[in-house]
Coordinates of all heavy atoms in Angstrom, one line a residue:
S5 N 7.6 18.6 22.2 CA 7.6 17.6 23.3 C 7.9 18.4 24.6 O 8.4 19.5 24.6 CB 8.6 16.5 23.1 OG 9.9 16.9 23.3
C6 N 7.5 17.8 25.7 CA 7.8 18.3 27.0 C 8.2 17.1 27.9 O 7.4 16.1 28.0 CB 6.7 19.1 27.6 SG 7.0 19.6 29.3
S7 N 9.3 17.1 28.5 CA 9.8 16.1 29.5 C 9.9 16.7 30.8 O 10.8 17.5 31.1 CB 11.1 15.5 29.0 OG 11.0 14.9 27.8
S8 N 9.0 16.4 31.7 CA 9.0 16.9 33.0 C 10.0 16.3 33.9 O 10.5 15.2 33.7 CB 7.6 16.8 33.7 OG 7.4 15.5 34.1
S9 N 10.4 17.0 35.0 CA 11.4 16.5 35.9 C 10.9 15.3 36.7 O 11.6 14.6 37.4 CB 12.0 17.6 36.8 OG 11.0 18.2 37.5
D10 N 9.5 15.2 36.7 CA 8.9 14.0 37.4 C 9.0 12.7 36.6 O 8.7 11.7 37.1 CB 7.4 14.3 37.5 CG 7.1 15.4 38.6 OD1 8.0 15.6 39.5 OD2 6.0 15.9 38.6
G11 N 9.5 12.8 35.3 CA 9.7 11.6 34.5 C 8.7 11.4 33.4 O 8.8 10.4 32.7
S12 N 7.7 12.2 33.2 CA 6.7 12.1 32.2 C 7.1 12.9 31.0 O 7.6 14.0 31.1 CB 5.3 12.5 32.7 OG 4.9 11.8 33.8
T13 N 6.8 12.3 29.8 CA 7.1 12.9 28.5 C 5.8 13.0 27.7 O 5.1 12.0 27.6 CB 8.2 12.2 27.8 OG1 9.4 12.2 28.5 CG2 8.5 12.9 26.4
Y14 N 5.6 14.2 27.1 CA 4.4 14.4 26.2 C 4.9 14.8 24.9 O 5.9 15.6 24.7 CB 3.5 15.4 26.9 CG 3.1 15.1 28.3 CD1 3.9 15.6 29.3 CD2 2.0 14.3 28.6 CE1 3.6 15.3 30.7 CE2 1.7 14.0 29.9 CZ 2.5 14.5 30.9 OH 2.1 14.2 32.2
Y15 N 4.2 14.4 23.8 CA 4.5 14.7 22.4 C 3.3 15.4 21.7 O 2.2 15.0 22.0 CB 4.9 13.5 21.7 CG 6.2 12.8 22.2 CD1 6.1 11.8 23.1 CD2 7.4 13.2 21.8 CE1 7.2 11.1 23.6 CE2 8.6 12.6 22.3 CZ 8.5 11.6 23.2 OH 9.6 10.9 23.7
A16 N 3.6 16.3 20.8 CA 2.6 16.8 19.9 C 2.1 15.6 19.0 O 2.9 14.7 18.7 CB 3.2 17.9 19.0
D17 N 0.8 15.7 18.6 CA 0.3 14.6 17.8 C 1.0 14.4 16.5 O 1.1 13.3 16.0 CB -1.2 14.9 17.5 CG -2.1 14.8 18.7 OD1 -1.7 14.1 19.7 OD2 -3.2 15.3 18.7
S18 N 1.5 15.5 16.0 CA 2.2 15.5 14.7 C 3.5 14.7 14.7 O 4.0 14.3 13.6 CB 2.5 16.9 14.2 OG 3.3 17.6 15.1
V19 N 4.1 14.4 15.9 CA 5.4 13.7 16.0 C 5.3 12.4 16.8 O 6.3 11.7 16.8 CB 6.5 14.6 16.6 CG1 6.6 15.9 15.8 CG2 6.2 14.9 18.0
K20 N 4.2 12.1 17.3 CA 4.0 10.9 18.1 C 4.4 9.7 17.3 O 4.0 9.5 16.1 CB 2.6 10.7 18.7 CG 2.3 11.6 19.8 CD 0.9 11.4 20.3 CE 0.6 12.3 21.5 NZ -0.8 12.1 22.0
G21 N 5.2 8.8 17.9 CA 5.6 7.6 17.2 C 6.8 7.7 16.3 O 7.4 6.7 15.9
R22 N 7.2 9.0 16.1 CA 8.4 9.3 15.2 C 9.6 9.9 16.0 O 10.7 9.7 15.7 CB 8.0 10.2 14.1 CG 7.0 9.5 13.2 CD 6.8 10.4 11.9 NE 6.3 11.7 12.2 CZ 6.9 12.8 11.9 NH1 8.1 12.8 11.2 NH2 6.4 14.0 12.2
F23 N 9.2 10.8 17.0 CA 10.2 11.5 17.8 C 10.3 10.9 19.2 O 9.3 10.5 19.7 CB 9.9 13.0 17.8 CG 10.0 13.7 16.6 CD1 10.2 13.1 15.3 CD2 10.0 15.1 16.6 CE1 10.3 13.8 14.2 CE2 10.1 15.9 15.4 CZ 10.3 15.2 14.2
T24 N 11.5 10.9 19.7 CA 11.7 10.5 21.1 C 12.6 11.4 21.8 O 13.8 11.7 21.4 CB 12.3 9.1 21.2 OG1 11.5 8.1 20.4 CG2 12.5 8.6 22.6
A25 N 12.2 12.0 22.9 CA 13.0 12.9 23.8 C 13.6 12.1 24.9 O 13.0 11.2 25.5 CB 12.1 14.0 24.3
S26 N 14.8 12.4 25.2 CA 15.5 11.7 26.3 C 16.5 12.6 27.0 O 16.8 13.8 26.5 CB 16.2 10.5 25.7 OG 17.2 10.8 24.8
R27 N 17.1 12.1 28.0 CA 18.2 12.9 28.8 C 19.4 12.0 29.0 O 19.3 10.8 29.1 CB 17.7 13.3 30.1 CG 16.5 14.2 30.2 CD 16.0 14.4 31.6 NE 14.8 15.1 31.7 CZ 14.6 16.3 32.3 NH1 15.7 16.9 32.9 NH2 13.5 16.9 32.4
D28 N 20.5 12.6 29.0 CA 21.8 11.9 29.4 C 22.3 12.7 30.5 O 23.0 13.7 30.4 CB 22.8 11.9 28.2 CG 24.0 11.1 28.5 OD1 24.3 10.9 29.7 OD2 24.7 10.6 27.6
N29 N 22.0 12.3 31.7 CA 22.3 13.1 32.9 C 23.8 13.2 33.1 O 24.3 14.2 33.7 CB 21.6 12.5 34.2 CG 20.1 12.6 34.2 OD1 19.6 13.6 33.7 ND2 19.4 11.7 34.8
A30 N 24.6 12.2 32.8 CA 26.0 12.2 33.0 C 26.6 13.3 32.1 O 27.7 13.9 32.5 CB 26.6 10.8 32.6
K31 N 26.1 13.6 31.0 CA 26.6 14.7 30.1 C 25.8 16.0 30.2 O 26.1 16.9 29.5 CB 26.5 14.2 28.7 CG 27.4 13.0 28.4 CD 27.3 12.6 26.9 CE 28.2 11.4 26.6 NZ 28.2 11.0 25.2
N32 N 24.8 16.0 31.1 CA 24.0 17.2 31.3 C 23.4 17.7 30.0 O 23.5 18.9 29.6 CB 24.8 18.3 32.0 CG 23.9 19.3 32.7 OD1 22.8 19.0 33.2 ND2 24.4 20.5 32.9
T33 N 22.9 16.7 29.2 CA 22.4 17.0 27.9 C 21.1 16.3 27.6 O 20.8 15.3 28.1 CB 23.5 16.4 26.9 OG1 24.7 17.0 27.0 CG2 23.0 16.5 25.4
A34 N 20.2 17.0 26.8 CA 19.0 16.5 26.4 C 19.1 16.2 24.9 O 19.8 16.9 24.2 CB 17.9 17.5 26.6
N35 N 18.3 15.2 24.5 CA 18.4 14.8 23.1 C 17.0 14.6 22.5 O 16.0 14.3 23.2 CB 19.1 13.4 22.9 CG 20.5 13.5 23.4 OD1 21.4 14.2 22.9 ND2 20.8 12.7 24.5
L36 N 16.9 14.8 21.2 CA 15.6 14.6 20.5 C 15.9 13.7 19.3 O 16.6 14.2 18.3 CB 14.9 15.9 20.1 CG 13.6 15.7 19.4 CD1 12.5 15.2 20.4 CD2 13.1 17.1 18.8
Q37 N 15.6 12.5 19.3 CA 15.7 11.6 18.2 C 14.5 11.7 17.2 O 13.4 11.5 17.7 CB 15.9 10.1 18.7 CG 16.0 9.1 17.5 CD 17.4 9.2 16.8 OE1 18.4 9.4 17.5 NE2 17.3 9.2 15.5
M38 N 14.8 12.0 16.0 CA 13.8 12.3 15.0 C 13.9 11.2 13.9 O 14.9 11.2 13.2 CB 13.8 13.7 14.5 CG 13.8 14.8 15.5 SD 13.8 16.5 14.8 CE 15.4 16.5 14.0
N39 N 12.9 10.4 13.8 CA 12.9 9.3 12.7 C 11.7 9.6 11.8 O 10.8 10.3 12.0 CB 12.7 8.0 13.4 CG 13.9 7.6 14.3 OD1 15.0 8.0 14.1 ND2 13.6 6.9 15.4
S40 N 11.8 8.9 10.6 CA 10.8 9.0 9.6 C 10.4 10.4 9.3 O 9.2 10.8 9.2 CB 9.5 8.2 10.1 OG 9.8 6.8 10.3
L41 N 11.4 11.2 9.0 CA 11.2 12.7 8.9 C 10.4 13.0 7.6 O 10.6 12.3 6.6 CB 12.5 13.4 8.9 CG 13.1 13.6 10.3 CD1 14.6 13.9 10.2 CD2 12.4 14.6 11.0
K42 N 9.6 14.0 7.7 CA 8.7 14.4 6.6 C 9.1 15.9 6.2 O 9.6 16.6 7.1 CB 7.3 14.4 7.0 CG 6.8 13.0 7.5 CD 5.4 13.1 8.0 CE 4.9 11.8 8.6 NZ 3.5 11.8 9.1
P43 N 8.8 16.3 5.0 CA 9.0 17.7 4.7 C 8.4 18.7 5.6 O 9.0 19.8 5.9 CB 8.4 17.8 3.2 CG 8.6 16.4 2.7 CD 8.3 15.5 3.9

């Protein structure tokens, strides 16, 4: 994935609908939530 500082986020086709990228600005931290994981 790529999350631009303009606010747009893009995902690889292989993870669309399953992974979510986000930011927690208060903690100066980026997160990647991964659901429905596959081998």
Side-chain angles (χ1 to χ4, degrees):
S5 71
C6 176
S7 299
S8 74
S9 59
D10 289 338
S12 299
T13 301
Y14 306 91
Y15 298 94
D17 289 341
S18 58
V19 307
K20 283 181 179 177
R22 300 189 297 120
F23 290 12
T24 303
S26 62
R27 302 174 186 241
D28 187 337
N29 290 329
K31 297 181 179 179
N32 205 26
T33 298
N35 300 296
L36 183 68
Q37 179 67 45
M38 306 185 296
N39 298 326
S40 302
L41 284 162
K42 305 174 181 179

